[in-house]
Amino acid sequence: MTYRQMRLLFAGLARYDGRLSVLTARNDVPVGLWTVVLRDHARHTWLGIRRIEQLAPDGHTSGPLVPWERPLTEVEALAQPEDAAMTWLEVLWALGTFTHGGRGWSLAAIEASQPTRVELRYRLVLLRAGIRYDADSYGAFEQIVAAG
């Protein structure tokens, strides 16, 4: 999915009433397409999607959202930043910054803290001129982007 489609997906997660949360989102550079890994809290599974259309249109059913969901235990190999402190709302605010003027910056990844936690926290991986910057909090994100 494109960056714009990814943002639409994130905005649409509310229709699932807390059933889904983002574990990671990665930009497949240089193609520029995103892969998003979601946790299904109702079924204790994970699913990776590359297109919004892969999700079932009805977010209120208890059945699988995609035909190939996997057990949550398989996702433990994902990067789990220990210092991640951003809430999901702060991630959405940061994404808004990129949409409205994150000049020179690109978002490479969103990484969630341990998927077994009830309240996930996030880290953003930013790129500028090929250099990676990790923003573990919204304050760190603002400082990185402002200094750039």
Side-chain angles (χ1 to χ4, degrees), residues 47-125:
L47 46 136
I49 62 171
R50 294 184 61 95
R51 292 187 327 270
I52 296 173
E53 300 80 25
Q54 288 179 291
L55 281 178
D58 181 8
H60 301 291
T61 64
S62 61
L65 297 172
V66 296
W68 43 264
E69 289 181 35
R70 300 286 186 255
L72 193 57
T73 55
E74 290 182 12
V75 84
E76 292 175 359
L78 291 174
Q80 297 177 8
E82 293 184 23
D83 295 335
M86 293 180 82
T87 64
W88 185 244
L89 184 58
E90 290 171 329
V91 169
L92 295 178
W93 288 339
L95 291 175
T97 299
F98 281 107
T99 302
H100 301 308
R103 292 179 288 265
W105 290 98
S106 63
L107 180 64
I110 299 169
E111 299 172 341
S113 60
Q114 301 174 10
T116 55
R117 288 180 53 180
V118 175
E119 182 84 23
L120 293 174
R121 294 291 185 233
Y122 297 90
R123 168 175 69 191
L124 300 181
V125 178

Side-chain angles (χ1 to χ4, degrees), residues 4-16 22 52 88 92 95:
R4 183 177 176 277
Q5 290 169 327
M6 182 189 69
R7 283 186 36 94
L8 290 173
L9 169 69
F10 290 170
L13 287 180
R15 77 174 191 239
Y16 291 92
V22 174
I52 296 173
W88 185 244
L92 295 178
L95 291 175

